[in-house]
């Protein structure tokens, strides 16, 4: 059977060669009367005969009987089905397996074509039924245009100064309390304040203050003390880092336009990886373009289906997304509870004995944060590392809020506990968007840990790399923490000098810009023109316009003073640690007149050494109130502090909680940074005490009446 099939293939090849030869001769013969007709006839006949002839009749023998004129072609086509039937029956006897396979393929092709056409027809019919008519589309578009909000607006419930009614607390069964509770739940959640931060200088936030955005309530503040952002080392106020950013932006441009593995790697990215790995004392580092994707991709790169992850239930959303994407087996232990962690590990060990399974049969990791973003607590890493080594696990540590804030030299939670990366934490990942004032994230460890992620880290392989000029800022931030600010300044000045040498000469100006403008003697139209030139809001009274222009110019005039006063190295970290201690001590000082107002009303839930301070309602205040009601109270306190106290803080009750394993209670979040002073803390305590008194104390008096 196999020999017969081989012979047919050989004959078919011979016939094909004969066809090509005849075609070539017919096209090159000048005596041919009708080369086109002869070519078509010969080609069609040979192709037909090549298909039909088989079995007992040779393909080469059939070539001589092919039609030679175009008039004989229709007869051959009419006889084609009968010849195909004869050929098929003959082939069925000689090679039945070939016929079976060919028949199945033909039936399958016909079935697929018919089913696909039927599916396409059903889809088109369903699409026609569900598609809106022209009248319905016009009505939907009109409704959307009428109800949409302008970009950046927060709605009536997000406007500054529009305090909602305090949530009253009464006895169970009280009609007033029930009505108040239902109203609080029914009212929509506020979304932001509607304020846009224009710049940050030192410990103050400056807002774009435009009266056209104010709907109700008191005028929005033009500035406020900054206890809201996670800028622990005041990188946004560093004139040196700003100059590094501007000079690097002029050199590299804005983006890299490609993933790291293709054409998105630039020397700035490699410099950042080297600087971070040397700073933390590891063999290597890998740079991701986003802080959240760094931890997400790191977990998913090492843990796969069938592996085991033991996770603290209080970790942030980015880590939990990585846990989900890994598809590994997951077990949670209570937040920062070492005893519960031991219980979970012992239970896994007992299951290993029951199933006769070795601990090395699957990859096993402990997943924790160093300084928990949503809780302000510090992980007991010494105890966790001891359990890790006892039960033979690896440790994945997210230290996004510990790097640059904890430890004597700012090397994070591991240094805070006297531990080292690679040795006590095999995988260390963190964001560059907090203390380092850059964009992206890093994972550090051994060469194996780093190289594995260059092909397995989804955020590294498929995301465009970080902007190079911000990677340069990361390098400068590391040098700033190490106390090498003079080196950063030298490199920056050298780049600026090169730019000035290539730039056109400018006329020298003497005197400050403020003196040159003579803001006090300017008219309203002149003030508005200067503000518009600088891209600032132009609404308001003359005094407000003068203040806005003065605040915009003053930081530029004092740049040299900022350079002299800018802190770095141990002094910078010492200032941050001192500010954290001052903030915690003042909040808990029972003899302080304003801190006394917080007693039995707000409770600190974070660690005393944490730069993130969380204040929640005390048990007496939270009892009988729902999550939404507690959130409304804290929102009102935060808004009062912003509008009346000129202090910015964050109320966390309205934050996204969908992807959290353990949702924290509503809190007020205060963040200490290196630029704050004791005077700023006093202003904060005063505003917070008055806000609590207004929202809670007066409300309690109304309930008693």
């Amino acid at each position: 059977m196999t020999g017969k099939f081989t012979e047919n293939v050989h004959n078919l090849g011979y016939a094909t060669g004969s066809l090509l030869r005849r075609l070539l001769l017919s096209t090159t013969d000048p005596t041919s009367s009708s080369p086109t007709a002869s070519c078509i006839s010969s080609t069609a006949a040979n192709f037909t005969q090549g298909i039909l002839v088989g079995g007992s009749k040779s393909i080469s023998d059939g070539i001589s009987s092919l039609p030679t004129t175009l008039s004989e072609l229709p007869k051959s086509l009419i006889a084609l089905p009968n010849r195909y039937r004869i050929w098929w029956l003959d082939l069925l006897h000689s090679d039945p397996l070939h016929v079976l396979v060919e028949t199945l393929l033909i039936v399958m092709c016909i079935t697929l074509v018919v089913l696909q056409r039927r599916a396409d027809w059903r889809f088109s019919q369903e699409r026609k039924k569900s598609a809106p008519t022209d009248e319905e589309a016009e009505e939907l578009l009109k409704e959307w245009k009428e109800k949409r909000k302008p970009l950046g607006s927060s709605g009536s419930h997000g406007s500054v100064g529009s305090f909602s009614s305090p949530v009253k607390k009464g006895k169970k069964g009280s009609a007033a309390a029930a009505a108040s509770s239902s109203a609080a739940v029914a009212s929509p959640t506020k979304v932001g304040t509607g304020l846009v931060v224009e710049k940050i200088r030192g410990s103050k936030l400056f807002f774009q203050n435009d009266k056209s955005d104010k709907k109700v309530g008191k005028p929005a503040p033009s500035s406020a003390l900054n206890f809201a952002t996670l800028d622990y080392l005041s990188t946004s106020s560093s004139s040196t880092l700003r100059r590094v950013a501007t000079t690097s932006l002029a050199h590299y441009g804005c983006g890299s336009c490609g993933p790291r593995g293709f054409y998105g790697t630039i020397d700035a990215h490699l410099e950042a990886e080297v600087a971070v790995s040397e700073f933390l004392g590891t063999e290597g580092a890998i740079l991701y373009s986003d802080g959240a994707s760094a931890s997400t991709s790191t977990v998913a790169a090492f843990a796969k289906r069938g592996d085991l992850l033991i996770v603290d239930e209080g970790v942030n959303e980015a880590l939990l997304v990585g846990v989900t994407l890994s598809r590994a087996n997951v077990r949670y232990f209570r937040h920062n509870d070492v005893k519960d962690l031991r219980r979970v590990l012992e239970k896994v060990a007992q299951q290993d004995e029951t199933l006769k399974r070795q601990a090395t049969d699957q990859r096993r990791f402990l997943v924790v944060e160093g300084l928990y973003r949503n809780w302000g607590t510090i992980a007991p890493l010494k105890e966790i590392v001891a359990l890790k080594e006892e039960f033979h696990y690896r440790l994945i540590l997210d230290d996004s809020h510990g790097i640059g804030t904890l430890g004597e030299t700012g090397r994070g939670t591991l240094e805070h506990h006297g531990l080292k990366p690679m040795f006590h934490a095999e995988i260390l990942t963190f964001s560059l968007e907090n203390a380092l004032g850059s964009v992206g994230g890093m994972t550090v460890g051994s060469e194996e840990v780093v190289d594995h992620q260059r092909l397995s880290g989804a955020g590294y392989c498929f995301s465009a790399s970080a902007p190079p000029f911000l990677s340069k800022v990361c390098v400068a931030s590391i040098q700033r923490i190490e106390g090498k600010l003079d080196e950063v300044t030298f490199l920056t000045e050298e780049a600026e000098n090169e730019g000035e040498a290539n730039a056109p000469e400018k006329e020298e100006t003497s005197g400050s810009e403020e003196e040159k403008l003579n803001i006090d003697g300017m008219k309203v139209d002149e003030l508005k023109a200067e503000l518009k030139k600088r891209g600032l809001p132009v609404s308001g009274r003359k005094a407000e316009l003068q203040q806005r222009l003065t605040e915009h110019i003053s930081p530029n005039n004092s740049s040299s003073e900022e350079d002299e006063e800018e802190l770095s190295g141990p002094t910078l970290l010492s200032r941050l640690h001192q500010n954290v201690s001052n903030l915690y001590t003042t909040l808990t000082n029972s003899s302080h007149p304003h801190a006394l107002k917080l007693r039995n009303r707000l409770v600190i839930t974070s660690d005393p050494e944490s730069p993130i301070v969380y204040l929640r309602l005390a048990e007496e205040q939270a009892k009988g109130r729902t999550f939404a009601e507690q959130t409304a109270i804290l929102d009102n306190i935060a808004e009062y502090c912003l509008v009346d106290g000129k202090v910015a803080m964050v109320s966390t009750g309205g934050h996204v909680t969908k992807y959290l394993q353990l949702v924290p209670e509503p809190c007020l979040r205060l963040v200490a940074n290196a630029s704050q002073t004791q005077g700023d803390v006093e202003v904060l305590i005063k505003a917070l005490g008055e806000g609590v008194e207004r929202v809670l104390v007066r409300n309690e008096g109304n309930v008693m009446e």
Side-chain angles (χ1 to χ4, degrees):
M1 185 180 299
T2 305
K4 190 67 176 177
F5 179 75
T6 305
E7 181 182 356
N8 290 338
V9 172
H10 173 74
N11 292 337
L12 181 61
Y14 177 80
T16 303
S18 300
L19 278 171
L20 295 176
R21 183 173 179 276
R22 285 192 178 189
L23 180 63
L24 181 63
L25 292 175
S26 63
T27 54
T28 57
D29 186 7
T31 61
S32 178
S33 59
S34 180
T36 304
S38 176
C39 179
I40 294 175
S41 174
S42 177
T43 303
N46 276 297
F47 181 75
T48 304
Q49 190 67 20
I51 294 177
L52 299 180
V53 178
S56 61
K57 192 171 184 179
S58 172
I59 294 178
S60 59
D61 296 338
I63 294 178
S64 60
S65 62
L66 294 177
T68 57
T69 61
L70 190 62
S71 60
E72 297 180 6
L73 183 60
K75 296 180 180 179
S76 299
L77 294 176
I78 294 174
L80 182 62
N82 185 46
R83 291 184 178 183
Y84 180 81
R85 181 181 62 82
I86 295 173
W87 170 80
W88 190 86
L89 292 174
D90 185 68
L91 186 62
L92 180 63
H93 292 289
S94 61
D95 194 354
L97 181 62
H98 176 80
V99 175
L100 177 63
V101 173
E102 184 177 351
T103 304
L104 291 176
L105 289 175
I106 294 173
V107 172
M108 185 175 65
C109 292
I110 295 174
T111 304
L112 289 176
V113 171
V114 173
L115 292 179
Q116 183 63 34
R117 288 186 176 181
R118 185 172 181 82
D120 294 341
W121 180 82
R122 286 181 177 178
F123 177 76
S124 61
Q125 294 298 319
E126 293 177 358
R127 189 173 182 180
K128 289 180 181 179
K129 292 180 181 179
S130 60
T133 62
D134 294 340
E135 292 78 8
E136 291 174 340
E138 289 294 334
E139 184 178 355
L140 291 173
L141 184 60
K142 182 179 179 181
E143 182 181 359
W144 175 77
K145 288 181 177 180
E146 292 175 352
K147 294 185 177 181
R148 67 172 178 170
K149 299 177 182 178
L151 294 177
S153 66
S154 55
S156 59
H157 292 272
S159 55
V160 177
S162 57
F163 293 103
S164 59
S165 301
V167 180
K168 297 183 179 180
K169 177 184 175 185
K171 298 180 180 179
K172 291 184 178 180
S174 171
S180 175
S181 299
S182 61
V185 175
S187 62
T189 305
K190 294 191 294 184
V191 182
T193 61
L195 294 176
V196 178
V197 177
E198 179 187 354
K199 60 186 176 182
I200 303 176
R201 292 293 183 269
S203 60
K204 298 191 72 174
L205 300 172
F206 293 90
F207 305 110
Q208 289 184 359
N209 192 355
D210 192 349
K211 272 193 172 182
S212 61
D213 291 338
K214 301 170 195 170
K215 297 183 179 181
V216 291
K218 298 181 180 180
S222 58
S223 63
L225 288 176
N226 180 18
F227 284 87
T229 65
L230 299 173
D231 185 13
Y232 306 111
L233 297 181
S234 300
T235 54
S236 56
S237 301
S238 171
S239 57
T240 301
L241 297 183
R242 285 202 302 272
R243 287 203 303 272
V244 170
T246 53
T247 54
S248 300
L249 180 61
H251 178 73
Y252 292 102
C254 185
S256 56
C257 304
R260 289 289 307 275
F262 293 91
Y263 45 84
T265 297
I266 300 178
D267 58 351
H269 301 139
L270 302 178
E271 291 177 14
E273 291 177 346
V274 171
V276 170
S277 64
E278 291 180 351
F279 175 67
L280 296 175
T282 60
E283 294 179 359
I286 181 172
L287 172 65
Y288 289 88
S289 58
D290 179 73
S293 67
S295 55
T296 298
S297 301
T298 298
V299 175
F302 289 98
K304 304 297 181 182
R305 187 187 299 275
D307 296 335
L308 178 62
L309 297 176
I310 308 297
V311 186
D312 187 302
E313 63 181 359
V315 297
N316 59 63
E317 309 92 284
L319 276 176
L320 286 176
V321 171
V323 169
T324 303
L325 293 178
S326 70
R327 297 175 296 177
N329 301 316
V330 184
R331 298 198 178 186
Y332 294 95
F333 65 94
R334 287 195 291 269
H335 175 56
N336 262 7
D337 192 336
V338 179
K339 293 182 179 180
D340 191 59
L341 173 59
R342 174 175 284 277
R343 178 190 62 81
V344 174
L345 295 176
E346 289 177 348
K347 186 175 181 180
V348 173
Q350 291 175 0
Q351 291 179 348
D352 290 341
E353 293 179 1
T354 303
L355 300 175
K356 297 182 180 180
R357 178 178 58 191
Q358 298 294 327
T360 56
D361 290 346
Q362 60 179 179
R363 287 168 291 194
R364 297 179 175 183
F365 300 91
L366 300 180
V367 182
V368 299
E369 286 185 70
L371 172 58
Y372 287 85
R373 186 190 68 189
N374 296 328
W375 304 87
T377 52
I378 299 175
L381 286 184
K382 284 188 176 181
E383 292 84 351
I384 292 176
V385 169
L387 290 175
K388 170 187 80 78
E389 295 175 350
E390 178 182 350
F391 290 90
H392 308 290
Y393 281 70
R394 297 183 179 94
L395 177 60
I396 298 178
L397 175 64
D398 183 351
D399 208 13
S400 297
H401 299 271
I403 297 293
T405 63
L406 297 179
E408 185 178 353
T409 60
R411 286 172 169 80
T413 314
L414 287 171
E415 184 187 38
H416 180 75
H417 289 285
L419 306 174
K420 293 182 179 181
M422 287 200 313
F423 300 99
H424 301 103
E426 289 79 4
I427 304 172
L428 173 61
T429 181
F430 55 91
S431 171
L432 306 177
E433 299 164 2
N434 302 315
L436 298 181
S438 182
V439 164
M442 284 273 191
T443 298
V444 299
S446 62
E447 291 183 2
E448 291 81 2
V449 167
V450 172
D451 292 341
H452 175 73
Q453 295 176 79
R454 297 199 188 276
L455 292 179
S456 300
Y460 182 90
C461 296
F462 303 110
S463 295
S465 57
F469 77 96
L470 289 173
S471 297
K472 279 287 189 181
V473 172
C474 172
V475 176
S477 295
I478 294 294
Q479 293 174 325
R480 180 170 175 248
I481 295 175
E482 292 178 320
K484 301 177 181 178
L485 200 60
D486 53 343
E487 298 181 13
V488 179
T489 306
F490 171 77
L491 295 175
T492 305
E493 289 176 352
E494 184 179 5
E496 287 179 343
N497 292 335
E498 292 178 0
E500 291 175 359
N502 299 327
E505 296 183 0
K506 297 182 180 180
E507 297 181 0
E508 296 183 359
T509 58
S510 60
S512 65
E513 189 177 357
E514 187 174 356
E515 294 175 355
K516 182 180 177 182
L517 289 176
N518 189 16
I519 296 177
D520 294 334
M522 295 176 68
K523 297 181 180 180
V524 175
D525 295 338
E526 296 173 345
L527 289 170
K528 290 184 177 180
E530 289 294 334
L531 290 170
K532 187 176 181 180
K533 187 190 302 182
R534 290 166 170 78
L536 300 175
V538 297
S539 61
R541 298 180 180 179
K542 182 177 180 180
E544 295 177 355
L545 299 178
Q546 290 175 338
Q547 180 184 1
R548 194 176 304 152
L549 185 58
T550 302
E551 290 176 348
H552 180 77
I553 294 175
S554 297
N556 298 330
N557 295 335
S558 59
S559 59
S560 60
E561 298 177 1
E562 288 181 359
D563 292 343
E564 296 175 0
E565 298 177 357
E566 186 167 351
L567 303 177
S568 65
T571 308
L572 176 65
L573 297 169
S574 171
R575 174 70 66 84
L576 173 63
H577 297 160
Q578 184 62 41
N579 289 348
V580 172
S581 177
N582 291 341
L583 178 59
Y584 185 84
T585 302
T586 308
L587 285 170
T588 56
N589 186 2
S590 58
S591 61
H592 195 287
H594 296 290
L596 191 60
K597 299 177 182 179
L598 308 179
R599 191 173 182 180
N600 297 329
R601 296 186 180 94
L602 294 179
V603 179
I604 298 178
T605 61
S606 53
D607 193 281
E609 296 179 289
S610 168
I612 311 176
V613 179
Y614 281 96
L615 298 169
R616 66 167 175 81
L617 291 177
E619 294 295 334
E620 298 177 1
Q621 300 294 332
K623 187 177 181 180
R625 289 192 170 110
T626 64
F627 190 96
E629 293 169 350
Q630 296 180 44
T631 300
I633 291 174
L634 296 175
D635 285 347
N636 287 337
I637 294 174
E639 192 167 359
Y640 178 88
C641 292
L642 176 63
V643 176
D644 291 271
K646 303 297 187 293
V647 177
M649 63 184 67
V650 176
S651 176
T652 64
H655 288 188
V656 178
T657 58
K658 180 179 179 181
Y659 300 103
L660 293 177
Q661 176 68 19
L662 178 64
V663 178
E665 298 174 336
C667 291
L668 292 175
R669 190 185 72 193
L670 309 174
V671 181
N673 63 57
S675 296
Q676 294 163 354
T677 63
Q678 182 60 34
D680 296 336
V681 176
E682 293 293 335
V683 174
L684 165 69
I685 299 301
K686 179 181 178 182
L688 195 58
E690 292 176 351
V692 169
E693 189 175 32
R694 170 176 176 141
V695 177
L696 287 176
V697 179
R698 292 184 182 179
N699 182 43
E700 291 173 357
N702 294 336
V703 173
M704 292 296 293
E705 293 177 0

